[in-house]
Amino acid sequence: MRPRGAAVAADIEGTLIRRGDPGYEDARTGAVWNEVTPRRFPDVLVRAATEADVVHALTWARAQGLRVSLRSGGHNWSGAPLRDGGLLLDLSGLRQCAITPAHGSEPPTATVGPAATGQDLVAALTPQDLAFPVGHCPTVAVGGFLLSGGLGWNSRAWGASCADVREIRAVTADGRTVICSDTEYPELFWAARGAGPGFCAAVTGFRLALHPHPASIMATGLTFPLDEVSRVTEWAEPLARRLPPYVETAFVLASSGPPTESAPRGPRITVAATAFAATEREARQALEPFADCPFGACAVTRRPPVPVSFAALHEGAAAIWPPAHRYAADNLWSPESHATQLTRIADAVAHAPSGKSLVLSPVQPVSQEPALLRNMAFAPLGESYLVCYAIWDDPAGDQDNARWLRDAMAAADPRGDGCRYIAETDLEAGPARARRSYAPATWDRLQEIKAQWDPENLFHSYLAP
């Protein structure tokens, strides 16, 4: 008799590792980019090398009564792909990235695997003078990013990244491979643009619409002591909202900043603005108002507008979210202003146990043009948005930093009923976290689609406490 798992092991080109096998723990911890690895243990890990491997693994899991979780790049801060028992299907080998040039009236597109990263796309698109609203962190894979909606570079102009998804290729719970679009399996396509880690199929490929590469990308910024948070946000938020949509503005509250000639080491607030413009003149004109800050003399540092590239933007982001660190994160959509929200959370940032922790708060992080929010489960759920990151490197600090994150978010959301963005919410902070990431009607529709496409609940749904 063939041992349990032998059939699928013979069929797949990738790797199958069972709990207790050599290499299991490395594979389990390697499934999470975060150095904080949840103590959840799948029975089996399958690292797919091809789409056929995905079909074989799902067919075998269904026959064995194993529930399935999915991993593309492992950037989910809660470690949602790791579940106790069942099968972890690792799609990190599906990293293809192919560009189809424009032909006649057909615009250019990219066909990418779920494990292709933002930096992979930038490297492929830039030489062809094309662009896509990739994630801010370069190593985020498109799988989880696009399934969650995607708040990428220049999303204030281009919309949520999933707005540019034209088709998905997916393997369903019954083992079928389907191509979904606005016209083919439209319900599943709608869910694939926003359902995030609760999506009820395994996506093996995306076809993406592309944008002309901005002729000029320029960035500027001013940094102030954090005790200026109220004055800075009250000045910069209305300014940012008046600027053209191709200007991305964000506040960054840092728990520690280096000393300068005018200020000692201490917590900081930075206003960072990036213009993705058609000409250098347009970019410079769009950023000019940041040079006219009425209290600019109080700035700790000033960065005049300088040309940058998507690759350079990714390098800067990589310094904010370095690898080989420990992370916890949570976010909040709010009907209140950035001034209100950031003033409320500033004291927590100033007293963070780690000097690497920060709050990122983009102004209008995604376009709310109806055409760019059509036919998707994703929707912005507030006027202001912030993400709080606890970042540290010593395991001895796990409890203090996790507690700090929860306390900081309680300060930002004192009633505890704020809305969330599914990609970066602390899913284990409360049983309603996934549900609070969607409008009620959207949540109900997602449950209906899950019941239709995965009636036996083969795929794990949203992580909960």
Side-chain angles (χ1 to χ4, degrees), residues 11-13 48-59 94 171 177 204:
D11 288 336
I12 68 169
E13 295 180 32
T50 64
E51 182 179 86
D53 283 354
V54 176
V55 175
H56 292 316
L58 294 181
T59 300
L94 306 184
V171 182
T177 300
T204 57

Side-chain angles (χ1 to χ4, degrees), residues 260-280:
T260 68
E261 292 182 0
S262 60
R265 177 178 297 276
R268 305 280 193 254
I269 177 169
T270 296
V271 185
T274 308
F276 301 84
T279 66
E280 182 178 334

